[in-house]
Amino acid sequence: MSAQDDRVKAMRFQHPEFIPVSVGILPAAWKLHRERLDEICARHPVIFGEVKVGERDYDKVGGLYVQGRHTDPWGYTWENVCEGMDAYPAVHNVPTRADVHKLKAPEVHDGMPHGFMYMRLFYLRGFEELMLDFAEEPPELQMLIDIVLDYNVRELEYKIAQLGPGEKFVYFGDDLGMQHALPMGPYKWRKYLKPCYRKLYQRCHEVGWWVYMHTDGHCWEIIPDLKECGVDVINPQIRANGLENLVIACKGSICVNLDLDRQLFPFCTPAEIDAHVRHCVERLGAPEGGLWLAAEIGPDVPLENVEAICCALEKYRAYFR
C-alpha cells in the first residue's frame, strides 16, 4: 500500500496499514547541518524517499525565508532577520479603520498562502488594532473580512479551474491560536470567521477535494467547528493544545496530522523523544485510523534528536499492525 493510500485510509478511518508520518526540515537547519543532516535523511527512506547525499543545495532559500524585506501583493511588508527562518509582518498598510474603506484586494493571482484568511486580517491591520476591532465590532471589521474572503473565493475558483474536480488533498494554512487561547475567543471566531472557512471548504467538497488544514496555536475548542466547515484532516500543535484536549476534540471524529512537540525537540533526550511519540500514538491513534504524525526540524534541534525522531516515527508507524 502506498503512503497516499494510507493517508486516505487514515482520514476515512478505514484501517491504514501504517500511520502516515512525515518530517519537515527548515532551510536554516539545512544551512547549518548540511551533509550531516542529509546522511540522516538517507538512512530513513521510509520518511524521505531515496536521498543521495550531497545533491541538495544546502544554502538554497526562497520566498519569505530570504533575509531582508519583502512586499506582499496586498501591500504589507515582511521582514526576515535570519536567513532560512520565516519572516514576520513588519509594516501594516491598513493601520486605521478609515484605511479599510480604501483597501482594494490585489488584481494578481497570489493564491491562498499560509495565513490566507484570519492572519491576513492582522497582517493588514496589525494585531493590536485587529483585536480592538473584534472587541468593539465596528462595521469596518466585517468590511475587512469581506474584502479578504471575496479575494479568497476568487483565488479558489481559479485553483479549481487549474486543477479540476476529483479526489485530491488541497492544503490550507492559517494559524488561528496563540500559545494558550484563541485570540478573539470562540464566540467571536464563530461569529466572524467560521462562515469564511465554511464557504471556502464546502466549495472544495463540491468539486470532490479533501481539505487539509494546518493551524498553529491553541484551537482545540473550535476543531469540531472546523470539521463542520469541511476540514477532513487537521494539523494542530500538541504543545499549544495539550494532547488530552486533542483526544477530546478529535479522536474518532476527525483525522489529525499531529504536529509533534517542536518546543521539546531541542532540549530532550532521544529516549524522551521515543516516549513522546509512543504516548501520542497510544492516546490519539487507533487501529481504524484517524492519525498522521508530523515533525518539524529547526536549526536548534541536535542531530542525535533528528535521528531519534526519524527512528521513533518509523518504529511507531507500525504500532497497530
Side-chain angles (χ1 to χ4, degrees):
M1 182 180 294
S2 70
Q4 172 75 356
D5 290 337
D6 272 337
R7 284 192 289 269
V8 173
K9 284 183 175 290
M11 176 189 70
R12 291 175 166 171
F13 295 88
Q14 293 177 342
H15 295 268
E17 184 176 2
F18 296 99
I19 297 171
V21 299
S22 63
V23 175
I25 301 174
L26 293 179
W30 283 114
K31 288 173 66 68
L32 176 64
H33 295 301
R34 310 178 80 80
E35 288 88 356
R36 293 175 298 165
L37 187 53
D38 227 359
E39 289 166 359
I40 293 174
C41 295
R43 289 196 290 272
H44 298 279
V46 167
I47 298 172
F48 298 102
E50 295 301 321
V51 173
K52 293 185 178 179
V53 177
E55 286 192 347
R56 174 184 292 271
D57 181 353
Y58 304 116
D59 295 309
K60 183 178 180 180
V61 296
L64 296 177
Y65 288 93
V66 177
Q67 190 170 4
R69 286 204 159 195
H70 311 266
T71 300
D72 187 274
W74 283 81
Y76 44 83
T77 300
W78 296 87
E79 184 159 5
N80 184 308
V81 297
C82 181
E83 183 102 352
M85 300 296 285
D86 208 352
Y88 66 94
V91 179
H92 311 286
N93 58 316
V94 189
T96 71
R97 290 172 183 170
D99 291 324
V100 175
H101 293 265
K102 298 179 286 186
L103 177 64
K104 302 293 183 184
E107 295 183 3
V108 300
H109 290 295
D110 189 43
M112 288 182 286
H114 182 271
F116 68 99
M117 189 64 236
Y118 158 65
M119 295 178 77
R120 182 161 277 159
L121 302 178
F122 71 76
Y123 294 164
L124 291 162
R125 289 282 285 126
F127 184 78
E128 291 183 1
E129 293 299 325
L130 182 65
M131 291 303 103
L132 287 172
D133 290 345
F134 274 110
E136 297 174 356
E137 300 184 274
E140 287 82 4
L141 173 60
Q142 189 62 58
M143 185 182 303
L144 179 67
I145 290 170
D146 289 343
I147 292 170
V148 174
L149 176 60
D150 289 347
Y151 178 82
N152 286 331
V153 168
R154 189 188 86 189
E155 290 302 290
L156 180 58
E157 292 300 330
Y158 181 72
K159 188 170 186 175
I160 290 170
Q162 287 183 310
L163 299 181
E167 293 184 339
K168 58 176 69 72
F169 285 108
V170 286
Y171 296 82
F172 297 88
D174 211 7
D175 297 342
L176 300 180
M178 299 187 294
Q179 186 72 13
H180 302 293
L182 281 172
M184 77 296 293
Y187 173 78
K188 294 285 181 74
W189 183 89
R190 292 181 178 117
K191 180 178 179 179
Y192 286 104
L193 292 172
K194 183 176 179 178
C196 303
Y197 298 107
R198 181 191 295 118
K199 184 171 186 176
L200 295 167
Y201 296 162
Q202 289 187 355
R203 177 64 178 131
C204 292
H205 281 197
E206 288 174 3
V207 297
W209 292 356
W210 301 312
V211 175
Y212 175 104
M213 185 176 183
H214 159 82
T215 180
D216 281 345
H218 180 104
C219 63
W220 71 271
E221 298 100 328
I222 60 167
I223 289 177
D225 297 273
L226 290 168
K227 181 186 176 185
E228 289 178 15
C229 291
V231 173
D232 297 293
V233 181
I234 188 77
N235 175 219
Q237 293 179 308
I238 185 172
R239 174 66 67 106
N241 291 286
L243 181 59
E244 294 309 311
N245 289 331
L246 292 174
V247 171
I248 292 168
C250 305
K251 189 168 184 176
S253 174
I254 184 172
C255 184
V256 175
N257 185 19
L258 185 63
D259 186 354
L260 295 166
D261 196 351
R262 64 179 88 160
Q263 293 174 267
L264 173 75
F265 294 156
F267 309 108
C268 64
T269 65
E272 288 169 331
I273 288 172
D274 184 274
H276 170 59
V277 176
R278 180 186 178 99
H279 184 55
C280 292
V281 170
E282 289 175 339
R283 294 298 297 129
L284 203 50
E288 57 269 28
L291 178 64
W292 307 358
L293 295 171
E296 181 178 283
I297 307 301
D300 53 352
V301 180
L303 288 174
E304 66 173 355
N305 284 3
V306 178
E307 183 78 52
I309 290 165
C310 295
C311 289
L313 289 175
E314 289 182 340
K315 177 180 178 181
Y316 293 114
R317 68 192 281 267
Y319 187 83
F320 295 108
R321 290 193 71 189

